[in-house]
Amino acid sequence: MYDIERFYRAKDVPDAVRALEADPDAMLISGGTDVLIQTREGKLAGCSLVSINQLPELTGIRIEEDGTIVIGGAATFSDITNNKALQSRIPILCWAVDQVGSPQIRNVGTIGGNVSNGVTSADSASSLFALNAVVELTGPDGVRRLPIADYYAGPGKTVRQHSEILTAIRIARADYENYGGHYIKYGKREAMEIATLGCAVCVKLTEDKRRVDDLRVAFGVAAPIPMRCHETESKAKGMALDADLLDAVSQGVLAEVKPRDSWRASRAFRLQLVSELSRRALSRAITFAGGEIHA
Amino acid sequence: MLDIITMTVNGREQEVAYDVRESLADTLRNRLGLTSVKKGCEAGECGACTVLVDGRAVNSCVYLTAWCAGRSVLTVEGIKGPNGELSPIQQAFVEEAAVQCGFCTPGLIMTAVEIVGTGKRYSREELKKLISGHLCRCTGYENILNAMERIVEETWEKHGVS
């Protein structure tokens, strides 16, 4: 038996918003793979829950007419990995969320929950940063949208207001079309693991496939919240696909990240991962974008 | 406080009285007597409590019964043949000696049901990833993978397309 004080199963999004407004102590539960475990551990003992588990309007994945990808906040990791429309457009995200937990967790855990936990290690987060994803929040005052980089407020904190729900994640066509992307998760084992470090790279090449047209490098666990390396990205623009590019990126990112010592890994080890994983992820991303590294 | 939901359990639609604070594992074990569902870690890590909800493998210890209204739940009790015979998946586990203490077995069987249900053919490496949500402290996994490979191949030979 879980130590749950109050439990309300919302009928739809407006109903959930109303229930949150009515109870200042209430928190949202979607897939529950974090909330229920924290309840069991006692951290959330006596909680009041408003459930949006598998609300049909939140589970859909669709492509809008202008090519914008819209992923419902309650879409599970499996939904995303197995979605054909996403596999052909943003394989990096399908791959990244396939690294979360275990198959059973991925059948239940949701992308909205992964992002809204506000943790830097979320496997979906760095790829969403590299895809310039936009978060859609629905609250008492309607819908607002903000870049995912503005969603994170600090470790375990987002700017989501008490009565707001992350209803969708949107990725514009210009942010994914012609990009190759790759995510590398480093952990001590290959399943049931929280990332020691995560690195996501998206790259667009010039038409002749010889130079970098646009680059986005994002990390998880390299700072208190997921982050991008904008300086390194802009320096790489226009560079040829050779060893100098890989060196410039894998060295450049070191000046931008702020990893810390924790019981899972030292700062020194994380810095080595930042450098090496960005080099490897960039190489793969270039291949996926149709280019070839001349190193 | 007790509430009542209608859900399909092992193919039979039924009304179930449950406490809203209850995990699906507790409801299945304590109210419906389906003790194939094992409680191991109760933190979604060991996979001993794995059941299928609408065909998908979930850890029933971190899943609320409240979410099962109108859904279909399948446990090992629901996969036996019409005369109580073992399912081909269970038979494969027997043939390959994939069972030692047996505590992880029901969960692994249910994951096998999900895998076999896709009708796809998987490599041993892919199967390793697909069973990564289960902990077995006895077998070293080799015989479990042998059983998985056997049933995947058998099913593919019978029904496979690609």
Side-chain angles (χ1 to χ4, degrees):
Chain A
M1 197 84 77
Y2 286 101
D3 190 349
I4 298 169
E5 184 66 31
R6 291 184 294 282
F7 181 83
Y8 179 71
R9 193 169 184 212
K11 288 158 197 73
D12 51 30
V13 171
D15 188 36
V17 170
R18 274 194 300 273
L20 288 169
E21 274 190 292
D23 183 353
D25 296 326
M27 59 182 295
L28 281 171
I29 182 167
S30 186
T33 52
D34 286 309
V35 171
L36 289 177
I37 286 163
Q38 287 172 28
T39 306
R40 182 91 76 204
E41 283 171 350
K43 282 183 209 155
L44 295 176
C47 56
S48 167
L49 300 177
V50 172
S51 170
I52 52 168
N53 182 273
Q54 294 295 296
L55 282 181
E57 73 243 60
L58 293 181
T59 53
I61 295 170
R62 64 176 202 277
I63 315 297
E64 292 188 335
E65 228 165 87
D66 65 357
T68 304
I69 294 168
V70 184
I71 303 171
T76 66
F77 301 118
S78 307
D79 290 338
I80 291 166
T81 299
N82 296 325
N83 187 283
K84 296 240 166 4
L86 297 186
Q87 285 167 1
S88 61
R89 288 173 177 82
I90 47 168
I92 179 175
L93 187 67
C94 300
W95 165 260
V97 300
D98 203 37
Q99 322 287 312
V100 177
S102 68
Q104 295 99 307
I105 296 292
R106 294 193 287 271
N107 278 345
V108 175
T110 66
I111 192 154
N114 200 225
V115 169
S116 295
N117 274 333
V119 297
T120 184
S121 57
D123 281 310
S124 67
S126 32
S127 299
L128 291 174
F129 269 64
L131 287 164
N132 281 340
V134 168
V135 168
E136 180 186 285
L137 299 167
T138 303
D141 305 321
V143 176
R144 62 174 177 138
R145 291 177 185 165
L146 64 163
I148 189 150
D150 297 339
Y151 188 54
Y152 284 80
K157 278 197 200 115
T158 66
V159 299
R160 187 176 66 83
Q161 299 294 308
H162 172 76
S163 302
E164 282 183 319
I165 297 168
L166 191 160
T167 37
I169 288 182
R170 305 170 60 88
I171 301 161
R173 180 184 220 146
D175 283 316
Y176 67 83
E177 203 169 53
N178 298 319
Y179 280 84
H182 192 53
Y183 171 73
I184 301 178
K185 171 182 186 169
Y186 183 92
K188 281 194 284 296
R189 50 183 185 170
E190 290 186 29
M192 296 309 300
E193 178 70 307
I194 292 168
T196 304
L197 199 95
C199 173
V201 173
C202 285
V203 65
K204 183 158 84 169
L205 305 178
T206 52
E207 231 164 275
D208 61 7
K209 305 282 182 199
R210 287 170 178 274
R211 286 175 186 280
V212 173
D213 186 32
D214 189 30
L215 176 68
R216 305 192 202 122
V217 183
F219 290 101
V221 209
I225 55 175
M227 63 168 292
R228 284 270 294 275
C229 291
H230 293 290
E231 278 177 37
T232 306
E233 292 172 7
S234 50
K235 279 184 198 148
K237 275 182 201 173
M239 285 184 78
L241 308 182
D242 55 20
D244 287 347
L245 170 68
L246 296 181
D247 290 343
V249 170
S250 61
Q251 287 302 309
V253 289
L254 288 174
E256 298 189 67
V257 296
K258 295 179 212 67
R260 58 169 199 151
D261 286 309
S262 78
W263 64 269
R264 279 193 287 123
S266 66
R267 173 182 153 83
F269 182 47
R270 286 206 169 94
L271 285 172
Q272 193 179 346
L273 288 172
V274 162
S275 188
E276 186 58 30
L277 297 191
S278 57
R279 173 186 290 269
R280 292 185 193 181
L282 174 57
S283 297
R284 288 295 294 275
I286 286 172
T287 311
F288 289 143
E292 207 180 316
I293 298 259
H294 300 281
Chain B
M1 60 191 154
L2 284 184
D3 200 355
I4 294 173
I5 51 167
T6 303
M7 61 176 178
T8 301
V9 180
N10 293 334
R12 221 182 66 208
E13 191 180 276
Q14 52 190 283
E15 284 193 334
V16 182
Y18 74 106
D19 190 302
V20 292
R21 298 168 295 177
E22 221 163 274
S23 71
L24 178 58
D26 280 338
T27 305
L28 294 172
R29 285 181 59 85
N30 301 340
R31 298 192 191 272
L32 302 177
L34 300 171
T35 49
S36 75
V37 182
K38 303 300 180 206
K39 285 170 71 174
C41 67
E42 288 195 74
E45 291 184 15
C46 78
C49 66
T50 302
V51 303
L52 302 194
V53 176
D54 285 348
R56 283 178 159 194
V58 309
N59 292 312
S60 62
C61 73
V62 282
Y63 198 89
L64 293 174
T65 306
W67 293 334
C68 293
R71 293 197 178 142
S72 179
V73 177
L74 189 65
T75 72
V76 164
E77 286 86 346
I79 63 169
K80 59 176 186 272
N83 300 311
E85 60 273 57
L86 294 180
S87 78
I89 293 170
Q90 290 169 303
Q91 195 59 47
F93 271 65
V94 173
E95 306 283 337
E96 296 293 340
V99 181
Q100 284 187 34
C101 89
F103 198 83
C104 71
T105 312
L108 275 158
I109 299 269
M110 295 319 293
T111 282
V113 172
E114 186 191 34
I115 292 172
V116 166
T118 65
K120 288 187 206 152
R121 203 176 191 182
Y122 296 96
S123 69
R124 200 170 175 95
E125 281 309 307
E126 288 170 323
L127 288 170
K128 277 186 188 172
K129 183 171 179 183
L130 289 169
I131 66 161
S132 63
H134 294 272
L135 296 179
C136 170
R137 301 293 81 178
C138 307
T139 64
Y141 301 103
E142 287 303 311
N143 289 358
I144 292 171
L145 285 164
N146 292 344
M148 290 279 179
E149 257 180 352
R150 175 192 277 246
I151 189 63
V152 164
E153 286 302 310
E154 276 176 10
T155 310
W156 185 81
E157 277 163 22
K158 267 190 214 158
H159 313 287
V161 273
S162 59

